[in-house]
Amino acid sequence: MSFQYLGQEVDANTEFETVIGLEVHVQLATDSKIFSKAKSRLLEGDSVSEESVNANTTEICAGHPGTLPSLNKKAVEYAIKAGLATNCKINLKSIFSRKHYFYADLPKGYQISQFDLPVCEHGSLEVELGENGAISKKIGITRIHMEEDAGKSVHLSGFSLINLNRAGTPLVEVVSEPDMRTPEEAGAYLRKLYAIVTCIGVCDGNLQEGNFRCDANVSVRPKGSTKLGTRTETKNVNSFRFVEKAIEYEMERQRQVILSGGKIIQETRLYDSQKNQTFSMRTKEEAEDYRYFPDPDLPPLIIEQSQVDILRASLPELPDQKRDRFIAQFGLTKYDATMITAGKSLAQFFETTVLGSADKNFSKIAANLLNGEAVRLLHEAGIEINESNFKPQHFSELAKMINDKLVSSTAAKQIIAILFSESTPEVGGVAGIVDREGLKQVNDLSALEPIIEKIILDNPKQAEEFRSGKEKIIGFFVGQAMKATQGKANPGMLQDLVIKKLKE
Ligand code: ADP
Ligand code: MG
């Protein structure tokens, strides 16, 4: 069976290509809201708690008649910084518009957003793909515009409640070109954008709170076609992995719809991570349905070029620059350097760990420890490294011990788990753990010799295989010896000794 799609004959043998464009809402980390003095986030020492419903709300957030918005300068600066860090052109004149829709958590009946003249346009960022991030790809950024967030509705049985604490929180929406082709590319784009906005300090990066969330636009087309297929938009996914999974699901769903003669409907969908499926939420509004028009309460936003220049000069070292420096300075692989610079606090932590060291071997070990076991534990717990028990001093000490062959990498894993769950004294903490848990690597030949001799005696068949030329069998003996020493033997030394003893 074959069908027509995008003016082409398609059937089960047709190779499809996925086209992805992402819209990311980035919450700006200003103290107050975008158009009012109300607090936009909790600050240290605040007496109200997160649960203080409607505490951070003024007449402006509630849309009372007669109130007037006034623009938060910091929010504008943050939006411009985001644009500069993603190679955008900054529009010295931009316009705030009203985007109309009716919803209970939007008391004004419209959201203030930027429409035809956004503050930033025509940007791009580079992502690294493939093994060790060897392939670079440029993804276009269409625009970055400023807007206010809506409130929150809480639906209970038979009635709903509205919390306006979030209403008027400053956001930028970063809209990409439909340049991505695979879930991997989309994931890489999101991680890079996240690294940038957290590195320059315009977003706190809290994914659980939805402070960085993504709408994924996905369509498919026969490979080679230059036309765009009909897209669906999967809304508000706040985990990188889930965005990748939602796209994977959506591309296969669309292919099947087309190959069964159905029609892709342009619609908004939701992703259910438990079921790993997307579901239709509503058919998509077209821009004209929103009745956009310039907000008469807000004059055009005029920015001086000198202000842009000052902001550009104030940007810190960006993740790509940092990655290249880490490669050159510490001898990290591109992959390790990309991982380390993916979040601000990890990069800082790493720099403190290797402080001043010119020993590239030591730095590489430190990077591996952080990227491996440490990041895994942090990820599991859903926290950043600076919120954990981990201290750079410990990783420095541990990396040195590994470098000096005092502990094995197996033992290092155990030590990291202990550092994660216990609060450990800053100085000498790792040595203390090694002593307490008996994790010191056995480098002592005289201690290893009898162990290996016994294993060879106990396994005559394998020893014979080695002597008749099957060198691979060494792995078996090394494994047995590791077991016998509970992973504490120095693996290099062990291997040499096994060979020597087998040849005797
Ligand atoms: P809207 O707000 O209506 O979703 P935007 O212009 O803000 O429109 O965003 C559209 C997003 O969808 C952009 O990221 C764009 O790259 C992407 N996009 C547009 N057409 C397609 C398509 N056919 N397939 C996949 N993505 C698309
Ligand atoms: Mg959209």
Side-chain angles (χ1 to χ4, degrees):
M1 281 271 268
S2 68
F3 299 94
Q4 285 290 319
Y5 189 64
L6 297 175
Q8 239 173 284
E9 192 107 332
V10 295
D11 62 27
N13 296 322
T14 306
E15 195 183 335
F16 279 87
E17 170 179 74
T18 308
V19 174
I20 304 155
L22 300 178
E23 297 162 80
V24 180
H25 282 97
V26 179
Q27 182 172 321
L28 300 176
T30 56
D31 293 346
S32 56
K33 293 188 179 176
I34 184 168
F35 299 120
S36 109
K37 284 186 178 147
K39 281 183 181 168
S40 69
R41 57 182 181 142
L42 292 175
L43 300 173
E44 238 171 280
D46 275 353
S47 55
V48 294
S49 70
E50 206 97 44
E51 293 77 44
S52 305
V53 171
N54 289 314
N56 297 341
T57 303
T58 65
E59 302 79 354
I60 292 173
C61 317
H64 286 190
T67 56
L68 286 174
S70 59
L71 183 57
N72 181 338
K73 186 176 174 205
K74 195 95 199 168
V76 177
E77 289 177 359
Y78 280 6
I80 295 172
K81 277 187 164 188
L84 291 171
T86 50
N87 310 302
C88 284
K89 168 178 173 270
I90 309 301
N91 287 327
L92 297 182
K93 177 181 174 186
S94 66
I95 306 280
F96 284 98
S97 294
R98 293 183 177 182
K99 177 181 184 181
H100 296 83
Y101 62 93
F102 175 77
Y103 205 74
D105 61 20
L106 186 76
K108 295 197 295 292
Y110 60 85
Q111 176 192 21
I112 304 177
S113 180
Q114 295 193 306
F115 184 53
D116 27 35
L117 250 188
V119 66
C120 315
E121 281 180 293
H122 312 305
S124 66
L125 56 77
E126 294 248 338
V127 295
E128 292 75 39
L129 305 162
E131 211 164 300
N132 198 15
I135 306 158
S136 289
K137 178 170 173 172
K138 196 179 201 171
I139 312 286
I141 290 174
T142 316
R143 53 192 271 134
I144 299 180
H145 62 254
M146 303 178 69
E147 61 185 28
E148 57 177 343
D149 208 344
K152 254 183 205 160
S153 310
V154 185
H155 302 295
L156 301 165
S157 65
F159 65 102
S160 296
L161 298 170
I162 307 293
N163 182 358
L164 293 176
N165 279 353
R166 207 183 59 184
T169 304
L171 304 176
V172 285
E173 182 174 336
V174 182
V175 182
S176 87
E177 290 291 307
D179 282 351
M180 288 154 276
R181 296 290 173 266
T182 62
E184 184 207 0
E185 289 181 17
Y189 170 86
L190 283 177
R191 289 184 178 90
K192 181 56 70 67
L193 182 61
Y194 182 86
I196 292 172
V197 295
T198 53
C199 162
I200 63 176
V202 304
C203 176
D204 69 10
N206 190 329
L207 294 164
Q208 278 81 29
E209 298 272 316
N211 296 352
F212 184 98
R213 54 188 192 262
C214 171
D215 302 343
N217 296 272
V218 178
S219 65
V220 296
R221 63 184 178 193
K223 202 176 164 94
S225 169
T226 49
K227 290 185 189 146
L228 285 173
T230 307
R231 71 176 153 126
T232 62
E233 179 176 356
T234 301
K235 275 253 179 240
N236 288 336
V237 193
N238 66 348
S239 128
F240 304 139
R241 190 66 203 119
F242 289 163
V243 173
E244 292 169 343
K245 290 196 156 206
I247 294 170
E248 247 163 62
Y249 177 84
E250 200 44 30
M251 53 200 244
E252 186 50 29
R253 185 191 70 83
Q254 292 186 13
R255 199 180 72 93
Q256 278 172 17
V257 168
I258 293 164
L259 290 180
S260 59
K263 223 178 138 203
I264 309 288
I265 302 160
Q266 180 164 334
E267 63 184 353
T268 303
R269 298 179 71 87
L270 282 181
Y271 175 68
D272 181 333
S273 60
Q274 308 243 293
K275 298 201 172 84
N276 187 27
Q277 287 179 6
T278 64
F279 293 94
S280 178
M281 184 164 101
R282 54 167 192 253
T283 56
K284 170 107 186 126
E285 295 87 351
E286 295 293 341
E288 50 269 30
D289 296 330
Y290 288 121
R291 298 291 186 274
Y292 279 101
F293 67 79
D295 192 318
D297 289 341
L298 287 157
L301 170 61
I302 307 293
I303 302 160
E304 302 285 334
Q305 183 58 46
S306 59
Q307 289 174 295
V308 177
D309 296 339
I310 290 169
L311 289 169
R312 191 190 295 278
S314 78
L315 285 179
E317 181 182 40
L318 295 175
D320 282 359
Q321 299 167 332
K322 195 174 282 222
R323 176 202 61 209
D324 292 343
R325 178 167 64 81
F326 281 12
I327 293 171
Q329 188 176 346
F330 303 118
L332 302 192
T333 62
K334 194 167 179 190
Y335 176 81
D336 275 339
T338 305
M339 296 286 287
I340 293 270
T341 51
K344 189 185 179 187
S345 57
L346 192 59
Q348 258 172 12
F349 192 99
F350 172 77
E351 287 220 78
T352 320
T353 300
V354 298
L355 205 64
S357 173
D359 182 345
K360 291 192 173 173
N361 216 23
F362 162 78
S363 303
K364 269 189 223 172
I365 293 170
N368 283 335
L369 292 174
L370 287 170
N371 277 338
E373 194 60 9
V375 162
R376 197 185 65 75
L377 290 167
L378 292 167
H379 196 80
E380 241 174 45
I383 55 172
E384 294 287 314
I385 199 156
N386 53 2
E387 300 164 330
S388 74
N389 278 332
F390 287 147
K391 296 183 187 75
Q393 167 70 27
H394 293 150
F395 279 84
S396 189
E397 196 185 343
L398 183 55
K400 244 182 232 114
M401 289 178 104
I402 295 174
N403 206 13
D404 295 344
K405 308 217 169 8
L406 294 174
V407 289
S408 69
S409 44
T410 325
K413 268 195 186 170
Q414 239 172 297
I415 294 166
I416 291 174
I418 294 171
L419 291 170
F420 185 71
S421 57
E422 289 176 12
S423 92
T424 309
E426 198 122 339
V427 179
V430 176
I433 293 172
V434 169
D435 282 347
R436 190 185 78 199
E437 307 287 327
L439 290 171
K440 197 156 193 242
Q441 178 157 277
V442 181
N443 290 318
D444 183 357
L445 281 183
S446 60
L448 290 175
E449 263 181 49
I451 296 174
I452 291 171
E453 281 165 7
K454 180 165 183 318
I455 293 170
I456 293 176
L457 273 180
D458 289 349
N459 297 282
K461 205 176 119 240
Q462 282 85 350
E464 192 40 50
E465 279 180 41
F466 174 82
R467 287 180 198 113
S468 60
K470 195 174 163 202
E471 300 228 337
K472 269 200 194 141
I473 202 81
I474 292 167
F476 165 79
F477 287 101
V478 173
Q480 291 291 312
M482 266 298 179
K483 231 194 215 161
T485 58
Q486 283 148 346
K488 280 181 275 180
N490 176 339
M493 195 176 263
L494 201 59
Q495 173 136 344
D496 293 345
L497 200 58
V498 165
I499 295 172
K500 181 170 156 249
K501 287 280 160 195
L502 280 170
K503 283 185 176 160
E504 267 175 12

Short mmCIF file of all heavy atoms in Angstrom, two decimals, residues 23 70 195 202 241 254 262 277 396 414 442 469 476:
data_model
loop_
_atom_site.label_atom_id
_atom_site.label_comp_id
_atom_site.label_asym_id
_atom_site.label_seq_id
_atom_site.Cartn_x
_atom_site.Cartn_y
_atom_site.Cartn_z
N GLU A 23 11.08 25.33 21.03
CA GLU A 23 10.81 26.60 21.70
C GLU A 23 11.12 26.37 23.18
O GLU A 23 10.56 25.46 23.78
CB GLU A 23 9.34 26.98 21.54
CG GLU A 23 8.93 27.23 20.11
CD GLU A 23 7.42 27.16 19.96
OE1 GLU A 23 6.75 28.15 20.28
OE2 GLU A 23 6.91 26.12 19.54
N SER A 70 5.08 48.38 34.40
CA SER A 70 6.33 49.09 34.09
C SER A 70 7.45 48.06 33.99
O SER A 70 7.56 47.15 34.81
CB SER A 70 6.63 50.17 35.13
OG SER A 70 6.72 49.58 36.41
N ALA A 195 23.42 25.18 29.30
CA ALA A 195 24.77 25.52 29.78
C ALA A 195 25.01 27.02 29.63
O ALA A 195 25.57 27.67 30.52
CB ALA A 195 25.83 24.73 29.02
N VAL A 202 21.61 34.22 33.79
CA VAL A 202 20.28 34.81 33.58
C VAL A 202 19.17 33.85 33.99
O VAL A 202 18.01 34.23 34.08
CB VAL A 202 20.07 35.27 32.11
CG1 VAL A 202 21.16 36.25 31.70
CG2 VAL A 202 20.00 34.11 31.14
N ARG A 241 16.12 14.34 28.79
CA ARG A 241 15.89 12.95 28.39
C ARG A 241 14.44 12.77 27.89
O ARG A 241 14.20 12.08 26.91
CB ARG A 241 16.19 12.05 29.59
CG ARG A 241 16.23 10.58 29.31
CD ARG A 241 17.39 10.20 28.40
NE ARG A 241 17.08 8.94 27.72
CZ ARG A 241 16.97 8.78 26.41
NH1 ARG A 241 17.17 9.80 25.60
NH2 ARG A 241 16.67 7.63 25.88
N GLN A 254 3.94 9.58 13.96
CA GLN A 254 3.58 10.29 12.72
C GLN A 254 3.82 9.42 11.50
O GLN A 254 3.02 9.39 10.57
CB GLN A 254 4.38 11.59 12.61
CG GLN A 254 3.97 12.62 13.67
CD GLN A 254 4.65 13.96 13.47
OE1 GLN A 254 5.24 14.24 12.43
NE2 GLN A 254 4.56 14.82 14.47
N GLY A 262 -3.56 7.97 7.18
CA GLY A 262 -4.16 9.01 8.02
C GLY A 262 -3.54 10.38 7.75
O GLY A 262 -2.70 10.53 6.87
N GLN A 277 4.52 8.18 26.14
CA GLN A 277 3.68 8.47 24.97
C GLN A 277 3.32 9.95 24.97
O GLN A 277 3.34 10.58 26.02
CB GLN A 277 2.37 7.67 25.05
CG GLN A 277 2.55 6.19 24.78
CD GLN A 277 1.23 5.44 24.89
OE1 GLN A 277 0.18 6.05 25.07
NE2 GLN A 277 1.30 4.14 24.80
N SER A 396 40.25 16.20 44.70
CA SER A 396 41.66 16.45 44.47
C SER A 396 42.49 15.36 45.16
O SER A 396 43.39 14.76 44.56
CB SER A 396 41.98 17.83 45.03
OG SER A 396 43.25 18.21 44.66
N GLN A 414 33.58 3.35 45.40
CA GLN A 414 33.08 3.17 46.76
C GLN A 414 33.33 4.44 47.58
O GLN A 414 32.47 4.86 48.34
CB GLN A 414 33.87 2.02 47.39
CG GLN A 414 33.03 0.86 47.85
CD GLN A 414 33.95 -0.26 48.27
OE1 GLN A 414 34.71 -0.80 47.45
NE2 GLN A 414 33.91 -0.60 49.55
N VAL A 442 46.62 -2.75 46.83
CA VAL A 442 47.76 -3.60 47.15
C VAL A 442 48.79 -3.45 46.04
O VAL A 442 48.60 -3.91 44.93
CB VAL A 442 47.32 -5.07 47.30
CG1 VAL A 442 48.52 -5.93 47.67
CG2 VAL A 442 46.23 -5.19 48.34
N GLY A 469 49.48 -20.90 24.04
CA GLY A 469 49.38 -19.74 23.15
C GLY A 469 48.10 -18.91 23.28
O GLY A 469 47.95 -17.88 22.63
N PHE A 476 41.26 -13.98 32.67
CA PHE A 476 40.64 -14.85 33.65
C PHE A 476 41.41 -14.81 34.97
O PHE A 476 40.85 -14.65 36.05
CB PHE A 476 40.59 -16.28 33.10
CG PHE A 476 40.32 -17.33 34.14
CD1 PHE A 476 39.04 -17.56 34.61
CD2 PHE A 476 41.37 -18.09 34.66
CE1 PHE A 476 38.80 -18.52 35.58
CE2 PHE A 476 41.15 -19.04 35.63
CZ PHE A 476 39.86 -19.27 36.09
#
